[in-house]
């Protein structure tokens, strides 16, 4: 295990009275963030590193995270994975166990969006969205459980979206995948509670990174979506990352099966 102190730590699912400091809240813990190479995933990985965790940033493409490595050294690892493939996810978990000997936190963040009205949407695009956003989280949950079991517990955080419960024409595949992911979160929470594994979901609104950027740069779409934002602005990646740190840390030890909307207030369309 990778704790800076080398001390044996309780898994993050178990809170020891007085045993947790307000800084370094994830010290010694090991996190996997799928889609952790850019956008929201990278923001959450960075926040976990700042809280003392070791983090594996996993995505399909090889990416150099030289800036992060310069600051956090070998607590940062980059791994390739395609969450659509069970074999690929299993080998991600095997690699994590080889490198760190434990996995305490999983963020199933890898996601794609393919827009198109239902009558126009190709079956290929539909499957790509469902396979990545929903089946990908199923693979990651299924294969991380033995690792967490070995550590005595853990935290799983799935990344849904405000569109899981709001309708936008052309977003049927994305919205359906995220709504199903929220139900999968609740089902996982019930099934894994006895293992000390807490499963929660963050549903971000529009966040100033990643897949929001094409909307932000399109005047017509931006004004349509800005009307939904009660706070009058998109969120910052760090504002979503702060919620992930809360759910991953001892402070979130009595939150389970919850969908946490982090959207500054979002109107129903
Ligand atoms: N940005 C927002 O406003 C917003 C709002 C609500 C929800 N979200 C959710 O937040 C998550 C991250 O979104 P983002 O905006 O940061 O998107 P992004 O910048 O497009 O990043 C997506 C990440 O997922 C990885 N990925 C995609 N398919 C994958 C696969 N099959 N296997 C492994 N990794 C894969 C990508 O890397 P590779 O391409 O190299 O694989 C990339 O690292 C998504 O689940 C999204 O639905 C975002």
């Amino acid at each position: 295990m990778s704790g800076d102190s080398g001390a044996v730590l309780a898994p993050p699912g178990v809170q020891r009275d007085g045993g947790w400091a307000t800084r370094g809240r994830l010290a010694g813990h090991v996190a996997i963030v799928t889609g952790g190479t850019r956008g929201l995933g990278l923001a959450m990985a960075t926040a976990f590193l700042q809280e003392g965790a070791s983090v594996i940033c996993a995505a399909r493409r090889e990416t150099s995270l030289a800036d992060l490595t310069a600051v956090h050294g070998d607590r940062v690892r980059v791994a390739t994975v395609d969450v659509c493939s069970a074999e690929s996810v299993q080998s991600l978990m095997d690699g994590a166990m080889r490198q760190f000997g434990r996995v305490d936190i999983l963020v199933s963040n890898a996601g794609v969006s393919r827009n198109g009205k239902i009558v126009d949407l190709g079956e290929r695009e539909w499957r790509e969205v469902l396979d990545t956003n929903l089946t990908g989280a199923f693979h990651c949950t299924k294969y991380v459980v033995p690792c967490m079991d070995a550590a005595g517990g853990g935290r799983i955080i799935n990344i849904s979206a405000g569109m899981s419960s709001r309708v936008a024409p052309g977003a049927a595949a994305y919205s359906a995948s995220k709504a199903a992911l929220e139900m999968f979160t609740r089902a996982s929470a019930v099934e894994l509670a006895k293992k000390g594994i807490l499963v929660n979901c963050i549903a971000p609104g529009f966040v100033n990174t990643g897949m929001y950027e094409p909307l932000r740069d399109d005047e017509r779409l931006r004004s349509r979506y800005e009307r939904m934002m009660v706070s009058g602005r998109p969120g910052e990646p760090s504002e979503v990352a702060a919620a992930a740190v809360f759910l991953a840390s001892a402070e979130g030890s009595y939150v389970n099966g919850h969908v946490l909307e982090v959207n500054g207030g979002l109107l129903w369309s």
Side-chain angles (χ1 to χ4, degrees), residues 1 3 17 58 69 78 80 87 97 102 107-108 112 128 130 156-157 164 175 178 188 206-207 235 237 243 246 262 268:
M1 64 152 277
D17 285 346
T69 308
V78 182
T80 52
E87 291 73 26
M97 292 303 280
R102 61 190 288 148
V107 184
S108 275
V112 294
E128 188 185 353
L130 272 289
I156 298 175
I157 302 167
S164 65
S175 291
K178 295 298 191 180
S188 307
F206 300 99
V207 187
F246 164 71
V262 181
W268 293 79

Side-chain angles (χ1 to χ4, degrees), residues 34-41 58-61 63 81-84 109-112 132-133 159-162 174 178 204-212:
T34 68
T37 53
R38 61 173 196 258
L40 263 184
R60 288 167 303 182
R61 267 168 285 197
T63 307
V81 70
D82 181 351
V83 297
C84 301
N109 163 80
V112 294
T132 309
N133 299 0
I159 305 302
S160 162
Y174 184 72
K178 295 298 191 180
F206 300 99
V207 187
N208 220 347
T209 189
M211 55 178 72
Y212 176 67

Side-chain angles (χ1 to χ4, degrees), residues 148-203:
M148 292 185 171
D149 223 1
R155 303 290 173 86
I156 298 175
I157 302 167
N158 295 320
I159 305 302
S160 162
M163 301 309 284
S164 65
S165 53
R166 294 168 181 85
V167 176
Y174 184 72
S175 291
S177 73
K178 295 298 191 180
L181 180 60
E182 293 182 1
M183 199 58 205
F184 178 68
T185 300
R186 297 183 189 102
S188 307
V190 168
E191 289 193 16
L192 301 177
K194 286 210 166 59
K195 294 181 184 294
I197 300 171
L198 305 184
V199 190
N200 290 290
C201 187
I202 295 173

Side-chain angles (χ1 to χ4, degrees), residues 118-138:
I118 294 162
V119 292
D120 302 321
L121 191 68
E123 186 160 339
R124 186 165 157 208
E125 285 73 28
W126 170 267
R127 287 193 188 281
E128 188 185 353
V129 173
L130 272 289
D131 284 354
T132 309
N133 299 0
L134 179 60
T135 310
F138 162 68

Side-chain angles (χ1 to χ4, degrees), residues 96-119:
M97 292 303 280
R98 265 198 314 279
Q99 287 179 326
F100 292 110
R102 61 190 288 148
V103 179
D104 305 286
I105 300 157
L106 164 72
V107 184
S108 275
N109 163 80
V112 294
S113 176
R114 298 285 174 263
N115 291 338
K117 296 232 172 104
I118 294 162
V119 292

